[in-house]
Amino acid sequence: MYKIVFDKINEKVADCIIRTTDGACIPSDPANTDYQLYLKWLDGYEKIGGEWVKTSDANTPLPAD
Amino acid sequence: MTVIINKPGFNLRETLTSLKRKIGIKGAELMAAETVSDVYSVIGTNRNKIINGAMVIDQRNAGASKLISSNTNSYILDRWRIWVYGGDASSATLQQSTLSPEGFINSLQWTVTSADTSLSSGDYHLIAQYIEGFNVADFGWGATNAQPATLSFWVRSSVAGTYGCAASNQTQSRSYPFTYTINAANVWERKVIVIPGDITGTWQKTTSAGILLFWSLGTGSTYQGTSGIWDSSIKLTSVGCLNLMATANATFNITGVQLEVGSVATPFEHRPYGTELALCQRYFYSLLSDGSSNGRSLGITGVVSGGNTTRAGGFHPVPMRAIPTITIAGLRQWDGSAAPSITGISLSSCTKEALSIDVTGGGLTDGRAGTVLFQGNVSASQGYLKADAEL
């Protein structure tokens, strides 16, 4: 599961996402493999074994605090 | 007076054959080398495409063991990825070990904790290294001029037999399974495998994963391929290899891993520790608490703004492969007066070269300078900041 972050200084949605399982802050960089996994998750995919499996139509991150 | 001279026997055929022996483009220079230094001046440096091949860098665990079970995808030693899928109740312990062959001080040790005597078809237990495309672009794979690559490593196992490995591309649409044999249990043996260059497929040549290397310690039939043949799907091992995971308490150690262009295995390239660490930090680094009661400065300072948020930054130890994922624990921020715990983090214009984070907590005063501190006296969970840009 992922959560949107709010940039309190610039008062806008931050350019990153929080992975709720470990609190990791993931930048929206296409070369970042955690971000690649997040994009797959948004599209409803999960990695099962060595394969990507579509388990839902789409996923939605939790809103920012 | 007659003088008779006796000469030793002379095999003309053998001598002529040796003159025709192939010596390659650098053979003459190598044959003329009189010292080890001369040899290295011919074969060059930075040959090894594997990072942390001698298993000396362990930023994540500092030598501590990690228990892994089914569905694990994590790093133990720097750059060394552990992939386990399925296996039900099986588990293994991974650790940096001081068990090593002559010339090395460490190895990566895999110990079977709970056995899996019956692999399902889709199961796998792997040690892997993903090599960045930039570092293997000179192999030329995916084109007609593809060069062979030579993999060499030291290995030791409590179970002798035939083991499987594989190389694949990032999309896992091309793979090359192969085998090696451990001839005797509990004895270090050096293995050398020449991988023919792949003239087809798509092989990444920049910041994505260029070549994926897998050492299988038990893989099901779905991912078994024919040894020594390029396959157009993902194979992680070869048919007929043993399943180490079937033997409880079995051990497997590996070190001295080297992958180099060409079909000759040169001696393992021992890079300076600092160089090897910097190479690892392109993909991961951690800043840890020193354990002191008052904490210590992280060295990243900034300003308090936006309602108890400190925007702080600094440079990464080396430029990273990608903008890293940041994980923190046990940190505080300090504005010269208050020092609240950090309850939230986000990235603010973080780049591959520099860290820029917003950390939030209560009780700070806007407009003051703010510093991020380690919470150094947390014995159970040492304060840290980790930056991860792994492949």
Side-chain angles (χ1 to χ4, degrees):
Chain A
M1 184 62 75
Y2 298 89
K3 185 178 181 181
I4 292 170
V5 188
F6 192 72
D7 179 342
K8 293 180 180 176
I9 293 178
N10 296 315
E11 297 188 330
K12 62 175 185 135
V13 173
D15 201 18
C16 60
I17 196 85
I18 297 293
R19 184 170 57 206
T20 57
T21 50
D22 61 355
C25 192
I26 301 169
S28 56
D29 177 3
N32 181 297
T33 51
D34 292 319
Y35 188 66
Q36 292 167 4
L37 293 175
Y38 167 66
L39 294 179
K40 278 285 191 181
W41 178 83
L42 276 184
D43 286 340
Y45 285 89
E46 279 185 64
K47 197 152 199 177
I48 300 176
E51 317 291 335
W52 284 104
V53 178
K54 193 164 179 67
T55 56
S56 63
D57 288 341
N59 289 306
T60 306
L62 297 170
D65 292 331
Chain B
M1 183 177 68
T2 302
V3 177
I4 299 174
I5 301 174
N6 289 317
K7 295 180 69 177
F10 181 78
N11 187 329
L12 181 60
R13 184 186 301 274
E14 194 174 88
T15 302
L16 290 174
T17 301
S18 70
L19 290 174
K20 290 180 180 176
R21 188 178 299 144
K22 289 177 67 177
I23 59 172
I25 58 173
K26 291 287 184 183
E29 291 95 324
L30 280 172
M31 291 169 70
E34 294 185 344
T35 67
V36 172
S37 296
D38 289 345
V39 172
Y40 280 103
S41 72
V42 175
I43 62 179
T45 56
N46 291 318
R47 307 180 310 282
N48 193 1
K49 310 299 184 178
I50 297 290
I51 295 174
N52 200 21
M55 312 296 179
V56 293
I57 311 292
D58 186 13
Q59 293 185 86
R60 290 174 179 82
N61 301 302
S65 64
K66 295 287 285 186
L67 182 68
I68 56 141
S69 54
S70 59
N71 305 334
T72 296
N73 171 19
S74 64
Y75 285 83
I76 304 298
L77 303 187
D78 279 64
R79 304 294 296 122
W80 290 101
R81 187 174 199 152
I82 305 302
W83 268 95
V84 173
Y85 179 72
D88 302 325
S90 69
S91 61
T93 302
L94 274 293
Q95 188 170 21
Q96 183 187 48
S97 169
T98 55
L99 189 63
S100 57
E102 188 176 351
F104 295 87
I105 58 172
N106 291 115
S107 65
L108 171 60
Q109 179 166 304
W110 178 303
T111 305
V112 178
T113 310
S114 297
D116 181 0
T117 55
S118 179
L119 290 172
S120 298
S121 59
D123 289 357
Y124 50 77
H125 301 80
L126 306 168
I127 297 170
Q129 179 153 145
Y130 290 10
I131 306 171
E132 190 173 344
F134 275 128
N135 296 344
V136 285
D138 57 328
F139 287 16
W141 288 12
T144 53
N145 66 341
Q147 299 296 304
T150 298
L151 177 68
S152 57
F153 55 94
W154 285 91
V155 66
R156 181 185 194 271
S157 175
S158 62
V159 181
T162 301
Y163 288 74
C165 287
S168 89
N169 64 354
Q170 184 192 33
T171 57
Q172 302 186 350
S173 58
R174 298 291 294 166
S175 60
Y176 183 83
F178 53 92
T179 64
Y180 63 93
T181 301
I182 293 182
N183 299 301
N186 299 316
V187 175
W188 282 105
E189 299 176 10
R190 185 171 186 248
K191 305 301 172 186
V192 175
I193 296 102
V194 177
I195 302 171
D198 186 18
I199 60 172
T200 61
T202 300
W203 295 85
Q204 298 298 322
K205 293 179 172 59
T206 59
T207 56
S208 299
I211 294 176
L212 286 55
L213 285 175
F214 301 103
W215 284 258
S216 169
L217 300 177
T219 296
S221 57
T222 300
Y223 300 110
Q224 297 176 2
T226 303
S227 181
I229 295 176
W230 279 102
D231 194 298
S232 57
S233 64
I234 181 62
K235 301 301 179 191
L236 303 170
T237 187
S238 300
V239 175
C241 294
L242 67 78
N243 171 23
L244 185 82
M245 292 301 295
T247 306
N249 303 315
T251 58
F252 178 91
N253 292 70
I254 184 169
T255 192
V257 186
Q258 179 154 292
L259 181 74
E260 56 198 310
V261 68
S263 54
V264 175
T266 63
F268 182 81
E269 183 179 25
H270 288 279
R271 289 186 284 250
Y273 182 87
T275 301
E276 204 72 48
L277 177 61
L279 291 173
C280 292
Q281 288 175 327
R282 175 170 171 78
Y283 306 90
F284 176 88
Y285 72 85
S286 62
L287 303 172
L288 300 172
S289 161
D290 64 355
S292 63
S293 59
N294 294 320
R296 69 169 184 180
S297 172
L298 183 59
I300 58 173
T301 57
V303 65
V304 179
S305 181
N308 299 330
T309 296
T310 298
R311 174 162 293 178
F315 291 101
H316 301 305
V318 299
M320 301 193 76
R321 183 194 66 82
I323 302 174
T325 296
I326 303 295
T327 312
I328 62 168
L331 300 186
R332 289 182 180 274
Q333 49 183 340
W334 181 52
D335 68 353
S337 177
S341 296
I342 289 171
T343 56
I345 181 174
S346 69
L347 301 178
S348 169
S349 304
C350 194
T351 67
K352 291 186 284 187
E353 292 78 24
L355 177 71
S356 180
I357 58 175
D358 288 354
V359 290
T360 55
L364 299 180
T365 303
D366 279 8
R368 287 186 173 180
T371 298
V372 178
L373 301 173
F374 284 115
Q375 197 167 346
N377 58 346
V378 182
S379 57
S381 58
Q382 187 181 31
Y384 63 78
L385 182 149
K386 297 176 180 176
D388 188 332
E390 282 287 2
L391 286 160

